[in-house]
Amino acid sequence: MARSVELPPEVHGGGGVVTYTAPGSHELADILDRLVGDVSGLLEVQSCSVALLDEDTGDLVTWSALGGGPNGPRGTRFRPNEGVAGWVAAHVAPVLIDDVALDNRFKRLDAEPKGSMMCVPLVDGDQVLGTLTVASARPAAFDQRRQRMVEALANQAVLAITKARQAEEAGRQADELRALLSAATALTSSLDTQTFFGHIVASIRQVAPCDDAVIYAYHEPTRELKVAAGLGRRVERLSSASIALDDVHSIAAKVARDRHGALVPPGPMTAGEVTETFLSGDPLALLSVPLVSKERLRGVITLARASAFNRTELRVMLHLATIVAAALENVELYRAARTEREQMAAIFAAGSDGMAIVDANLNVLDANEAYGRLFGLARGQMVGQRCCAALSRTGGVCALCEGECLVAKAIETGMAVPHVDCQIDATGLGMDNAAAETPAGRPSHPPAPPSPVRYVDLSITPVNVPAGRRALLIGRDVTALRAMEIMKDNFLSMVSHELNAPLQAIGGYLHVVLDGMAGDLNTQQRDFLRRVRVSSEHLKVMVQDLLLITRRDAGQFELMRTPTRVAEVFAEVLDEIELIANDAGVDLSINCDPDLPVIPADHTRLVQVVRNLITNAVKFTPEGGKVALRGAYDERSVRITVSDTGIGIPPEHQRRIFDRFYQVYTDGERSRGQGLGLAIVKIIVEGHGGTINVWSAPGQGSAFTVLLPRRVPPSVAAAPEFLRV
């Protein structure tokens, strides 16, 4: 049954022609007006109309009619197969009816008499555009000749209609593009959240007129759509409402899950609690589109109005949704970047260590208050100045600029400088040890006595930023630590000297007793005294190690070079260590080349090297294992090797075993000793111009190899009999 709907009409007078014109379709309406006028004039009839197919509904809609029109007045809709025009459109075939009273396809739409009727389809290729219908009050008013005339006019009209529609579509697309471009410009003009949502509302009004709209933002942690903004009075009803993503009744939730737009015609519907609150029982049409960017759901936009939305508006809103989703992503990225920047700025400003950022021109771009306190300067006095100005402000030489500038080198090469020791004249800088406090405000160590020198440990780290490479300077006041180290070294030196004398006396008296000068000893007494001497020698070695370290740090360590037989060194060490090896159940063997040459070396220190290596080997070799001491030589050097079948050293520790006080943890337990033995071995060997290396594998044992030059190295050949290192 035909039904009339209200469409925006525009009435043109002249010739009795009544024309329907949709907004923006003036050219098409003019074409249809001319077509109706030409056909009616050619056939001398007073009833003629053109109906076009509505792509959205599939109905035929009367666009232009002369008189009452055989297909009814303008705006009359026909369903497929309804009436003569509906049948022609459905079957794509012309119809010539001599007497409409005898044809059941005819439906009377007005009181005007109809005797005969002719209807032809308007076809563009395989697509039906509509129908052209003429009617006469007389029966058999049309024949085949007139039908061919109408068909010829219809074919010409199809070309004109197609071009008009193409022009109309191009114009509509241009309008859409302008609206979308305007929306995109507005949406990217601000990253402020409230301003951004205001731009979304304005953009919606440009591309899809509506009475109300609601914008939902997707909250990933709770999987909910939460009302973020909207337009119209209905949004106020929702307040801070939210929709669960798995709500099977909600249209917005379904759009979000499916990530496809949806059109809902006006009328009763089941749309979920939030949407029903939004509609308040009004039979409104809905258009809903998802906001998706990079396959990530950002939210949903839902529009409402009294009249139905069409597919063109849905398509435009989907384009707008893509722009909005990308802009939302930018807003989120901006917000995250701003938050991170603020956090970094807060950390930078509140850091207990001094920090400064230097550009490629070596100027300070920024610095925190702690960095200024290191040099007695306010932050404003450093920013914009060269980085070395603070270090040389008291007339001294900048530690960063001695020789090649370390900051410039770090920026150029991208290589970090982990530690640079700087000494600053602290006179007048207010030495209150404030920089040596922990973040909680408690001193991390006892305050050092006032000193005219401030020690600062600086590190230089290159940082790549879009504007180019920068350097991050981190400074820490280590004045109190240096003072503690000096006090510790002085204490160790004092204790070592105080212990050395009584240990020498104990060793001397033990030697006298064991030689029988105080009387004969039985076997048990001699064994006990030998063990006492071994323990005494061990304690003496520990004291010597501490003395060596303190003298090395003070620049007072000396090597007394004399012609030394390595075989005699082996024999002396074997006499001391043999008892320890026997007690440990370790087989100790010596393999020494009988022609081992005499070398210029410090005999006492060389004994210390071999003793430390063998002691270490015995310590880490289980009962039943073996330790071997070997001596060999070539044209340039003498090679001393100490190998064992012990537990071995993990690869990650091998690089640091020669560091002071470094100890390897095995099976969760720290190794026994002070961690000085191998460090001292390296100091003595390198002092002789030699080298030491290690091979080790867990569970397979270790081998330490020392290479000592047979001749005094050229660098010390002209030195006196001792070498200061």
Side-chain angles (χ1 to χ4, degrees):
M1 179 178 181
R3 57 190 174 90
S4 295
V5 297
E6 285 194 18
L7 297 174
E10 185 174 307
V11 179
H12 298 271
V17 177
V18 180
T19 306
Y20 164 75
T21 305
S25 304
H26 300 289
E27 184 177 351
L28 179 58
D30 291 342
I31 291 172
L32 298 179
D33 285 348
R34 289 196 298 270
L35 175 62
V36 169
D38 291 344
V39 171
S40 62
L42 181 65
L43 300 181
E44 298 178 349
V45 295
Q46 299 300 316
S47 181
C48 180
S49 64
V50 175
L52 297 183
L53 195 66
D54 187 332
E55 295 180 355
D56 289 330
T57 63
D59 294 346
L60 280 172
V61 182
T62 301
W63 272 60
S64 183
L66 177 66
N71 292 328
R74 59 181 175 81
T76 301
R77 287 182 174 269
F78 290 85
R79 298 189 183 279
N81 282 310
E82 183 179 4
V84 174
W87 188 94
V88 169
H91 293 81
V92 197
V95 168
L96 180 60
I97 304 174
D98 291 332
D99 188 350
V100 296
L102 301 177
D103 196 313
N104 58 9
R105 293 172 295 186
F106 173 73
K107 290 185 179 295
R108 184 173 296 279
L109 300 175
D110 54 36
E112 291 186 5
K114 300 288 191 302
S116 58
M117 181 179 288
M118 181 171 54
C119 183
V120 297
L122 303 176
V123 181
D124 180 20
D126 296 332
Q127 182 181 8
V128 177
L129 302 182
T131 60
L132 171 60
T133 307
V134 293
S136 174
R138 295 182 295 108
F142 308 107
D143 55 18
Q144 294 294 328
R145 184 179 65 84
R146 291 194 172 194
Q147 179 180 329
R148 288 193 294 271
M149 292 171 58
V150 172
E151 288 177 345
L153 288 173
N155 289 337
Q156 294 298 319
V158 165
L159 294 176
I161 292 171
T162 301
K163 290 181 179 179
R165 282 189 166 178
Q166 289 174 347
E168 179 186 343
E169 180 65 20
R172 184 167 57 247
Q173 289 181 357
D175 291 341
E176 292 173 4
L177 288 175
R178 281 192 292 270
L180 291 173
L181 178 60
S182 175
T185 303
L187 290 173
T188 55
S189 64
S190 175
L191 293 173
D192 176 71
T193 304
Q194 293 302 319
T195 305
F196 174 77
F197 281 119
H199 288 322
I200 294 179
V201 170
S203 301
I204 292 172
R205 284 176 169 159
Q206 289 182 34
V207 301
C210 61
D211 299 323
D212 298 274
V214 58
I215 303 169
Y216 299 97
Y218 181 56
H219 190 244
E220 287 186 353
T222 60
R223 290 176 55 82
E224 289 180 327
L225 295 169
K226 296 188 176 183
V227 175
L231 65 90
R233 291 176 298 176
R234 297 178 184 274
V235 177
E236 300 174 0
R237 305 170 185 169
L238 301 183
S239 183
S240 58
S242 61
I243 302 173
L245 194 64
D246 56 1
D247 186 341
V248 295
H249 300 295
S250 170
I251 295 173
K254 176 176 173 41
V255 167
R257 291 194 304 271
D258 298 343
R259 302 194 178 186
H260 294 295
L263 290 175
V264 181
M269 68 181 77
T270 302
E273 181 180 351
V274 174
T275 305
E276 290 176 358
T277 302
F278 176 68
L279 297 175
S280 296
D282 297 332
L284 301 181
L286 298 178
L287 184 155
S288 191
V289 291
L291 302 176
V292 179
S293 174
K294 296 180 180 178
E295 299 184 356
R296 180 182 172 191
L297 180 65
R298 306 280 178 179
V300 172
I301 297 178
T302 298
L303 314 183
R305 72 184 183 196
S307 59
F309 293 95
N310 57 45
R311 294 187 180 278
T312 299
E313 290 171 317
L314 176 61
R315 185 184 69 247
V316 177
M317 278 302 300
L318 286 172
H319 291 321
L320 178 63
T322 301
I323 297 172
V324 171
L328 271 174
E329 180 184 5
N330 291 336
V331 169
E332 289 182 6
L333 291 174
Y334 167 75
R335 189 184 305 157
R338 183 177 63 182
T339 301
E340 182 178 0
R341 185 169 61 251
E342 291 173 350
Q343 290 176 345
M344 293 302 297
I347 294 172
F348 183 81
S352 59
D353 289 340
M355 290 180 281
I357 300 174
V358 178
D359 64 13
N361 296 321
L362 306 184
N363 294 323
V364 177
L365 298 177
D366 198 3
N368 64 359
E369 297 296 338
Y371 191 82
R373 287 196 298 270
L374 292 175
F375 309 105
L377 294 171
R379 175 182 174 275
Q381 294 177 277
M382 295 181 294
V383 175
Q385 303 296 318
R386 288 185 65 85
C387 60
C388 58
L391 291 167
S392 57
R393 64 182 292 270
T394 56
V397 178
C398 175
L400 302 179
C401 300
E402 292 180 349
E404 185 178 10
C405 179
L406 297 179
V407 179
K409 183 178 180 181
I411 293 176
E412 179 181 355
T413 64
M415 301 294 291
V417 180
H419 297 289
V420 181
D421 291 327
C422 302
Q423 295 185 24
I424 303 171
D425 184 357
T427 305
L429 296 189
M431 287 290 292
D432 56 0
N433 296 311
E437 292 186 353
T438 63
R442 299 185 300 274
S444 57
H445 40 67
S451 169
V453 177
R454 174 174 286 177
Y455 295 93
V456 176
D457 179 55
L458 279 174
S459 66
I460 307 169
T461 305
V463 180
N464 293 318
V465 297
R469 186 172 288 164
R470 302 283 188 258
L472 174 64
L473 273 60
I474 300 179
R476 176 173 295 179
D477 188 341
V478 294
T479 305
L481 292 176
R482 288 293 179 88
M484 292 296 295
E485 288 178 1
I486 293 172
M487 293 170 61
K488 179 195 69 176
D489 292 342
N490 291 339
F491 174 76
L492 289 176
S493 179
M494 177 193 69
V495 170
S496 300
H497 280 91
E498 292 297 327
L499 290 176
N500 196 45
L503 286 174
Q504 292 283 3
I506 293 172
Y509 281 115
L510 285 172
H511 183 72
V512 169
V513 174
L514 286 171
D515 284 347
M517 298 176 64
D520 294 335
L521 299 172
N522 58 38
T523 303
Q524 188 179 38
Q525 290 172 333
R526 181 173 298 278
D527 181 62
F528 287 167
L529 287 174
R530 285 186 63 193
R531 294 182 183 277
V532 172
R533 186 175 68 175
V534 168
S535 297
S536 173
E537 290 295 331
H538 179 68
L539 185 57
K540 181 180 176 182
V541 167
M542 291 176 61
V543 172
Q544 289 176 346
D545 288 349
L546 291 173
L547 278 173
L548 187 149
I549 291 294
T550 55
R551 288 172 179 170
R552 167 66 182 269
D553 291 343
Q556 299 173 355
F557 174 54
E558 300 173 353
L559 289 177
M560 305 298 294
R561 291 181 181 275
T562 59
T564 301
R565 295 183 179 277
V566 177
E568 293 179 357
V569 172
F570 285 6
E572 185 174 338
V573 173
L574 182 63
D575 184 55
E576 296 179 12
I577 304 299
E578 188 174 19
L579 186 59
I580 296 176
N582 289 337
D583 288 345
V586 174
D587 180 24
L588 178 61
S589 63
I590 297 180
N591 184 0
C592 184
D593 192 318
D595 298 325
L596 211 59
V598 174
I599 61 173
D602 186 322
H603 179 91
T604 302
R605 296 303 182 190
L606 199 54
V607 168
Q608 197 171 359
V609 167
V610 177
R611 181 197 300 118
N612 284 359
L613 291 176
I614 294 181
T615 302
N616 255 15
V618 171
K619 184 191 305 181
F620 294 106
T621 300
E623 185 177 356
K626 296 181 179 181
V627 173
L629 173 62
R630 295 180 178 83
Y633 69 98
D634 56 26
E635 293 181 357
R636 296 184 177 182
S637 60
V638 170
R639 182 170 63 256
I640 301 172
T641 303
V642 176
S643 60
D644 63 65
T645 59
I647 61 176
I649 305 170
E652 64 270 19
H653 294 289
Q654 293 179 18
R655 185 175 57 86
R656 298 195 58 193
I657 57 175
F658 295 103
D659 294 348
R660 296 183 191 181
F661 304 108
Y662 186 79
Q663 295 180 313
V664 178
Y665 284 76
T666 56
D667 297 329
E669 295 184 0
R670 190 184 69 176
S671 60
R672 299 176 299 276
Q674 306 171 84
L676 287 175
L678 293 177
I680 289 171
V681 167
K682 185 178 181 182
I683 291 173
I684 296 173
V685 170
E686 291 180 349
H688 281 85
T691 61
I692 181 170
N693 58 70
V694 60
W695 171 91
S696 184
Q700 300 181 34
S702 306
F704 289 83
T705 301
V706 174
L707 293 178
L708 297 173
R710 294 181 59 178
R711 299 175 183 83
V712 178
S715 59
V716 295
E721 62 175 313
F722 64 87
L723 172 68
R724 185 182 299 272
V725 295

